Amino acid sequence: MENKITAAIAGVGAYVPDYRLTNKELETMVETNDEWITSRTGIKERRILKEKDAGTSFMAIRAAKTLLEKHDIDPRTIDLLIVATATPDVQAASTAVYTATKIGAINAFAFDLDAACSSFLYGMSVAAKYIESGRYKRVLLIGADKCSSMIDYTDRATCIIFGDGAGAVLFEPNREGLGIQDEYLRGDGNGREYLNVKSGGSSRPFTAETLDNREHYVKQDGRTVFKNAVSMMASAVETILDRNQLTTDHVHWLAAHQANKRIIDATANRVGIPEEKALVNIEKYGNTTSATLPLLLWDFEKVLKKGDKIIFATFGGGFTWGSIYLTWAYG
Ligand code: UT7
């Protein structure tokens, strides 16, 4: 009998804008300092998309093209393209379908997927199902966010954290059992009051008053988000480890959402994964929401080896969270 189909990552691409917003520059914008930001978050700089009228697709297109060129893949062979994002270009028109058209993926259907900072993780689950079922052979999953479009650069509680970026991964069928092994995804709608953009959605459309009140920017209760992020990511990872009879010795890498270095450290610590196994690049990009996981894969691709066991974990607005266990398929 033929081996069962698993969904493996066959390539990675990325794009980050050139402009670096450093802690030093933030010191000139709000009452903060490099020492506070570094010790409380681990962030040194973030990238900001400055091009006029450029939205999330600007970065998604470039991340996708990087991947396609690197692996010499004809975009017409892509069956499905998903853009995981909390910051679509415009309302009521899919960022993914625009991205697909611009990269020449003319045989693909495409849609956006929004689960805040867990968008990419949930997207991995969706991509895997289409591959595992045998329906499609090439699913391009892009995590991209222009966080700067919803940040209040007078609010020191949020502007120091977020940055812009995009990463893309290609999922293909695998017959060696490599790729996505298991997932545990959850959410709690009661959490949405602690992290959101209050206006601009259907429940509270923009008015002159909402704009005056700066309700079109992200607001968060950082401490509550922090506590929930650690406990939910840690328990999701523990569930995945238990269910798959994995000890932390079996795990090669923890790829956790990059929201705060202290959240990553505390999560790793709680589940007993040593610090050196936790992939970290938050110092360069800050929290890029849907792009953190593919940017980690992009930055660490060279150290990943075929068969490496990677545990992904995210936590985000909503609340949304979860963990995915994947074995790396090349390298
Ligand atoms: O992806 C999911 C999205 N978000 C997150 O995961 C973020 C989760 N939360 C966090 O990362 C942290 O809560 C923050 C980085 C947002 C804040 O760090 P914290 O250690 O929780 O600080 P805090 O909010 O408890 O504030 C401690 C102090 C306060 O001063 P007082 O009241 O102790 O005098 C703040 O006013 O630090 C002050 N503070 C700052 N000081 C300098 C808050 N922000 C700043 C700042 N610079 N940027």
Side-chain angles (χ1 to χ4, degrees):
M1 204 182 77
E2 227 181 12
N3 287 343
K4 126 177 183 228
I5 303 170
T6 48
I9 292 179
V12 187
Y15 172 83
V16 289
D18 293 334
Y19 191 84
R20 293 160 196 260
L21 175 58
T22 62
N23 291 351
K24 272 271 162 268
E25 186 176 352
L26 281 166
E27 285 179 8
T28 68
M29 297 160 66
V30 289
E31 205 181 317
T32 191
N33 57 75
D34 176 44
E35 200 280 322
W36 193 96
I37 301 172
T38 307
S39 61
R40 296 289 182 122
T41 70
I43 303 167
K44 285 302 217 182
E45 59 183 34
R46 8 21 236 126
R47 302 301 183 96
I48 305 294
L49 184 61
K50 295 272 193 182
E51 271 79 357
K52 193 171 175 310
D53 295 334
T56 291
S57 67
F58 181 92
M59 299 181 290
I61 291 164
R62 281 158 180 76
K65 282 187 171 167
T66 309
L67 188 157
L68 297 177
E69 278 160 25
K70 189 172 154 202
H71 294 275
D72 197 19
I73 287 168
D74 182 344
R76 290 171 300 184
T77 62
I78 306 291
D79 300 304
L80 164 63
L81 185 150
I82 302 170
V83 173
T85 187
T87 54
D89 284 5
V90 291
Q91 278 190 327
S94 162
T95 300
V97 79
Y98 183 76
T99 302
T101 298
K102 292 296 169 188
I103 65 166
I106 53 168
N107 295 312
F109 76 109
F111 58 85
D112 296 349
L113 189 161
D114 179 7
C117 292
S118 298
S119 303
F120 189 84
L121 190 84
Y122 286 20
M124 288 173 72
S125 165
V126 175
K129 301 304 167 290
Y130 279 110
I131 298 283
E132 289 160 3
S133 67
R135 183 167 293 274
Y136 298 126
K137 298 222 163 13
R138 282 190 160 157
V139 179
L140 189 61
L141 172 63
I142 305 170
D145 267 304
K146 184 182 172 186
C147 297
S148 61
S149 66
M150 54 178 182
I151 293 301
D152 180 351
Y153 286 95
T154 66
D155 175 13
R156 70 177 183 175
T158 51
C159 73
I160 58 143
I161 297 170
F162 293 94
D164 303 337
V169 303
L170 180 69
F171 279 96
E172 286 183 347
N174 187 280
R175 297 280 185 178
E176 297 174 75
L178 300 167
I180 295 195
Q181 307 295 319
D182 195 12
E183 65 178 39
Y184 175 87
L185 306 174
R186 289 293 184 273
D188 176 5
N190 294 317
R192 87 170 172 187
E193 67 179 285
Y194 301 109
L195 173 58
N196 61 43
V197 178
K198 196 169 171 186
S199 294
S202 58
S203 67
R204 197 170 160 83
F206 292 134
T207 62
E209 191 195 344
T210 67
L211 289 171
D212 282 349
N213 294 340
R214 308 179 83 75
E215 291 177 17
H216 50 299
Y217 293 125
V218 171
K219 287 272 176 301
Q220 72 166 340
D221 172 348
R223 279 183 209 191
T224 304
V225 176
F226 190 111
K227 270 192 257 164
N228 279 278
V230 175
S231 68
M232 297 311 183
M233 281 202 292
S235 74
V237 170
E238 273 164 355
T239 301
I240 285 289
L241 296 181
D242 286 353
R243 251 183 6 200
N244 293 279
Q245 285 100 45
L246 293 174
T247 69
T248 51
D249 286 341
H250 296 120
V251 174
H252 295 89
W253 309 106
L254 174 69
H257 173 51
Q258 309 282 297
N260 185 320
K261 173 79 162 61
R262 288 189 296 138
I263 294 178
I264 303 164
D265 290 347
T267 304
N269 192 272
R270 202 171 283 193
V271 298
I273 294 179
E275 209 177 291
E276 60 274 15
K277 290 187 178 180
L279 303 178
V280 176
N281 61 4
I282 193 171
E283 69 285 356
K284 296 200 285 184
Y285 310 125
N287 180 351
T288 54
T289 303
S290 313
T292 64
L293 297 185
L295 283 175
L296 275 181
L297 296 178
W298 174 252
D299 279 357
F300 289 93
E301 190 182 21
K302 284 196 182 65
V303 304
L304 303 176
K305 298 267 170 311
K306 187 173 176 179
D308 278 3
K309 295 178 171 58
I310 308 175
I311 305 294
F312 293 86
T314 62
F315 183 86
F319 291 141
T320 57
W321 69 89
S323 177
I324 284 182
Y325 163 32
L326 171 141
T327 47
W328 194 247
Y330 59 94

